[in-house]
Amino acid sequence: MSLSVGIVGLPNVGKSTLFNAVSAARAEAANYPFATIEPNVGIVGVPDDRLEQLTRLAGAERTVPAAVEFHDIAGLVKGASVGEGLGNQFLSHIREVDAIVHVVRCFDDPDVVHVEGTVDPARDIEIIETELLLKDLETVERAAEKAGRMAKSGGADARQRAEVLAGLRDRLSAGSPARTVTAGVPAAAGIARELGLLTAKPVVYAGNVAEDELPDPDSEPVAVLRRAAEERGAEVVFMCAEVEAQIAELDASDRQVFLADLGLSVSGLDRVVSAAYRLLGLITFFTAGPKEARAWTVRSGARAPTAAGVIHSDMQRGFIRAEVISYDDYEALGSEQAARDAGRLRIEGKDYVVADGDVMHIRFNV
């Protein structure tokens, strides 16, 4: 499966600069609103030290990490939900992603104009949230009106749909995002997916700080963003978007030296990717052989045939069994053959729930 993440925020907060660190396809990072008119898409690998080790142990010719798609979505402004700043177009792009990275400006620079005039993370978050919420409310009100009419002559399913939509409408009207309704409620979660509700999508905040604040930012805007994220039960990652763009231009060896000079062990982008991965409850399994070592992504709780289908639909359709070695056993014993010889390779069937770090070989027949 492919994870897609939308980068959102007000204009001039560092979204496109961050996106420049994601892909060689450069978004235009300009000091004015709407420098990005169409959503640019870039691919970045999910950082995972285990994959590098598997490549070495398997003698693989190449390494293929799991991938995350980043969509650089143009800056939203007040009134986006009613079309201000091409808002309707941009909001529709957010509907297509799995999760949202909300970039929040935490640095002050007179040469980079803030669309609201001052740096205030709490206010900026509120603006974006309000626009997403208002758009969801518009969507749900239309759906609730239609469902209400159908419930009068329909059966139990129609009445349940009308009730769920009415509940969503009331919570949105009260200022609560859809995710507060859908958590643990399958009917509401299904409707939220069907309607593409924006506030149902999980969010991680990326605080964009000045370079001289790294590695441990502690300014007042940083403290404000920490509190705002905590109030929402969300994760926050701090980075400097300009630094991330510089890191992306370096080769692997120079990158580590550069990070070390800044007092960092991993890049901010890698931390954002990892946070998004956790946010969506994703796990990684591997395939490893002489030709390649590859990481694959499934949701936690996925069974073996589903994992097989991530590799190829024929594997899921003709699934027979999975040969599984835990990563820890593979690393400790040094090879697939050594794991076999030690009895650490397991044969698992269709009901097997894939564990994070499984090294798998799928047997199938079509």
Side-chain angles (χ1 to χ4, degrees), residues 22 28 48 52 56 66 82 106 109 111 116 153 166 169 209 235 250 253 255 266 309 313 315 332 334 362:
V22 172
E28 181 184 9
D48 196 322
E52 299 301 326
R56 186 183 68 80
V82 292
C106 296
D109 185 343
D111 294 328
E116 292 295 320
S153 58
R169 180 194 59 211
V209 303
E235 189 168 351
L250 302 174
S253 58
R255 188 175 301 150
V266 295
S313 58
M315 289 188 173
I362 305 298

Side-chain angles (χ1 to χ4, degrees), residues 111-232:
D111 294 328
V112 181
V113 180
H114 193 293
V115 71
E116 292 295 320
T118 58
V119 175
D120 184 342
R123 176 206 58 210
D124 293 356
I125 288 174
E126 190 70 28
I127 289 172
I128 298 296
E129 284 187 344
T130 298
E131 295 307 321
L132 299 184
L133 192 145
L134 288 173
K135 194 63 179 178
D136 278 354
L137 182 57
E138 175 188 313
T139 300
V140 169
E141 283 179 336
R142 286 199 304 266
E145 183 180 345
K146 179 179 178 181
R149 292 195 302 268
M150 296 184 68
K152 293 178 181 178
S153 58
D157 289 345
R159 289 193 295 273
Q160 182 191 38
R161 180 179 177 83
E163 290 172 4
V164 172
L165 281 164
L168 270 170
R169 180 194 59 211
D170 293 345
R171 292 294 291 275
L172 290 167
S173 296
S176 298
R179 70 181 71 89
T180 65
V181 183
T182 59
V185 184
I191 288 175
R193 285 193 299 271
E194 173 195 332
L195 299 178
L197 296 186
L198 309 173
T199 62
K201 298 181 184 298
V203 178
V204 59
Y205 294 102
N208 188 13
V209 303
E211 180 177 347
D212 59 12
E213 291 191 67
L214 297 173
D216 298 309
D218 62 357
S219 65
E220 178 58 25
V222 164
V224 170
L225 178 52
R226 287 189 196 276
R227 287 195 296 271
E230 184 177 354
E231 289 169 0
R232 292 161 174 80

